[in-house]
Amino acid sequence: MNFLERLMSGHHSGDRIYMDYAAATPLRHEVWEAMRPIYKDVFGNPSGVHQEGQRARALIEKTREKIARLLTIRTEDVMFTSGGTEANNIAIAGVIEAAWADGQPYEEMEIITTKLEHPSLTETIKAYGDGAVTVHHAPVDEDGRIILSEFEKLLSEKTVLVATALINSEVGVIQPTRKLKKLMKEKGNAVLVVDGAQAPLWHPIQLEVLGADVLTLDAGKCYGPKGAGVIARRHGIALTPSIFGGGQEQGLRPGTENLAVIVGMGVALELAVVGVERRAEGVNELRDYFFASVEKELPDAVINGSRESGERAANNVNISLPGIDTEFAVVVLDEYGVAASTKSACSGAGGGESTVVKAMTSDAARAKSTLRFTLGETSSKQQVDQVVAILKQHVAKMQKIDSE
């Protein structure tokens, strides 16, 4: 009895196959080892003047210095948040409110983004767009890359903000942020906010390399703890607070800092940055093997996004199976020990089309039948073979039912 026969007959191995690393990553052992003694022994409020407080403060500032070195920016330009969503909210609102404070009325502001972005970007921008600020959506090509010539036409002296993800969480497209910034400099002083949540494991994240004015990060996407994020900015970029309380994190994110997860995040980011090229090269090879297997075993499948390594994250496999209920396919995969998804976890569970694939292709059938597999460092060809075998069997079963 081969693997698939054992699987279909209910003889499960007990070993699950996790292929949803874009949604969440496990905690590295080294990260947990750094966090564990803090939970036990370092309980002081970092704002306290006593020894317990100052011990906590020293650990926070040591982590801030570490992350600043990794991103090649000044220490004071690193701020900690509760995650990527909060970081994006604070960054976007901070840029807009800083422009308003500098005398630019909301009615004379323009924002450029795309229809591919994470909800923490789109919903924050929508809140301003529902008021007086004008929001433009830059066109993208079928692979999801911003069309530079069309982007350039949208730029004006009124543009205060351009916001996009470096790596899209659904289809893995890598945006040419450095080229965007070059065009922006020719037209004015707009701020480029780059959502880097999906990037640390697969792409360099130094602000100078990206051309970013503001970069946001999320530890939970790079083997770090959930509930920890970063706002990193180029020195001199003004961000006005949008939430209020104490003076922590330069007033941008008031509230007592979560010491353990901040320290854990520092370790996770350091390990991600140090090994990024080797890691991306190895997983890139596995991703291409996955694509080849899909093309061989699932001839009706359509690959969403570019196949080029420089244009797609190393770990992302996104396909459409037109005519197949992929929400149900995810349930079936889960029953047989495979964790996958149809789209970004933050886009919500349940039915509905992928707004990302719809914006890229204008194809409703593709957008309603997407499957996303995102690989990790420990993913293997054997796992890919098993996943494709399960999916092939399920698709054949569904097609047979439809034909009867």
Side-chain angles (χ1 to χ4, degrees):
M1 187 180 292
N2 63 28
F3 163 78
L4 192 57
E5 289 171 336
R6 293 196 309 272
L7 206 56
M8 294 303 174
S9 64
H11 296 284
H12 294 227
S13 66
D15 295 328
R16 289 185 58 81
I17 299 173
Y18 186 73
M19 289 192 175
D20 202 18
Y21 284 86
T25 53
L27 198 67
R28 282 195 193 276
H29 173 74
E30 299 94 326
V31 173
W32 170 241
E33 288 301 310
M35 295 170 61
R36 186 170 59 173
I38 295 173
Y39 282 119
K40 182 176 182 293
D41 298 323
V42 187
F43 56 86
N45 189 314
S47 297
V49 298
H50 42 64
Q51 292 185 28
E52 288 81 1
Q54 291 307 297
R55 183 184 179 192
R57 172 57 55 190
L59 288 170
I60 288 176
E61 298 311 318
K62 183 179 179 181
T63 301
R64 198 187 311 275
E65 291 170 7
K66 176 191 294 184
I67 294 175
R69 287 196 302 272
L70 295 174
L71 302 180
T72 63
I73 59 176
R74 300 189 188 190
T75 302
E76 62 265 33
D77 291 324
V78 173
M79 282 75 67
F80 299 125
T81 72
S82 68
T85 290
E86 186 180 59
N88 282 336
N89 273 257
I90 293 173
I92 291 166
V95 170
I96 295 170
E97 296 302 332
W100 181 84
D102 198 40
Q104 188 167 356
Y106 295 122
E107 295 82 359
E108 296 181 13
M109 294 185 196
E110 296 183 1
I111 299 170
I112 302 175
T113 186
T114 78
K115 292 184 178 180
L116 276 61
E117 307 306 328
H118 188 273
S120 60
L121 281 181
T122 59
E123 292 302 311
T124 308
I125 290 172
K126 183 177 182 294
Y128 281 96
D130 286 344
V133 180
T134 300
V135 178
H136 300 289
H137 292 95
V140 299
D141 62 24
E142 191 170 5
D143 290 332
R145 302 257 291 183
I146 293 172
I147 302 171
L148 294 176
S149 58
E150 297 299 318
F151 172 78
E152 186 175 14
K153 293 176 185 178
L154 296 175
L155 290 167
S156 74
E157 292 183 354
K158 292 184 178 181
T159 308
V160 296
L161 169 69
V162 175
T164 186
L166 174 62
I167 295 177
N168 181 270
S169 63
E170 286 195 33
V171 298
V173 61
I174 301 173
Q175 296 295 356
T177 55
R178 191 174 180 86
K179 292 180 180 179
L180 297 179
K181 186 58 184 179
K182 183 178 179 181
L183 293 173
M184 291 165 64
K185 287 181 177 179
E186 296 172 0
K187 292 292 184 79
N189 298 310
V191 175
L192 176 59
V193 173
V194 175
D195 175 358
Q198 296 292 334
L201 292 172
W202 316 113
H203 194 285
I205 55 172
Q206 291 75 24
L207 271 72
E208 188 64 31
V209 171
L210 303 179
D213 295 308
V214 181
L215 174 69
T216 62
L217 299 170
D218 188 325
K221 311 296 186 183
C222 59
Y223 301 110
K226 296 171 182 63
V230 166
I231 299 173
R233 62 181 168 186
R234 183 167 55 80
H235 194 66
I237 294 296
L239 296 175
T240 296
S242 54
I243 56 176
F244 305 95
Q248 296 94 339
E249 301 308 304
Q250 300 182 39
L252 282 175
R253 204 283 179 180
T256 302
E257 299 91 340
N258 192 339
L259 177 60
V261 301
I262 288 173
V263 170
M265 175 169 58
V267 175
L269 286 173
E270 183 175 38
L271 292 172
V273 169
V274 169
V276 66
E277 292 182 2
R278 171 196 54 77
R279 182 186 308 108
E281 183 178 351
V283 178
N284 199 37
E285 181 180 342
L286 183 61
R287 181 205 65 194
D288 290 344
Y289 177 80
F290 203 144
F291 279 141
S293 298
V294 166
E295 288 178 322
K296 179 182 177 182
E297 303 295 340
L298 296 162
D300 293 335
V302 181
I303 293 172
N304 296 313
S306 174
R307 297 280 293 271
E308 298 296 323
S309 295
E311 297 180 1
R312 189 187 198 111
N315 73 324
N316 180 281
V317 174
N318 188 296
I319 63 173
S320 288
L321 294 168
I324 298 296
D325 181 348
T326 48
E327 288 284 345
F328 180 54
V330 167
V331 174
V332 171
L333 285 166
D334 187 49
E335 288 178 349
Y336 288 106
V338 179
S341 60
T342 58
K343 52 192 175 182
S344 165
C346 289
S347 295
E353 64 186 18
S354 164
T355 56
V356 172
V357 174
K358 183 66 176 294
M360 290 164 52
T361 67
S362 300
D363 187 328
R366 283 175 69 172
K368 290 178 180 177
S369 58
T370 56
L371 273 175
R372 181 187 71 172
F373 301 94
T374 43
L375 309 170
E377 293 177 71
T378 59
S379 300
S380 67
K381 287 185 177 181
Q382 181 185 17
Q383 290 180 338
V384 169
D385 290 341
Q386 293 174 1
V387 169
V388 173
I390 297 166
L391 197 56
K392 180 181 179 180
Q393 182 80 11
H394 173 68
V395 170
K397 181 179 179 181
M398 292 299 102
Q399 288 174 341
K400 182 180 179 180
I401 291 173
D402 288 343
S403 66
E404 292 177 347

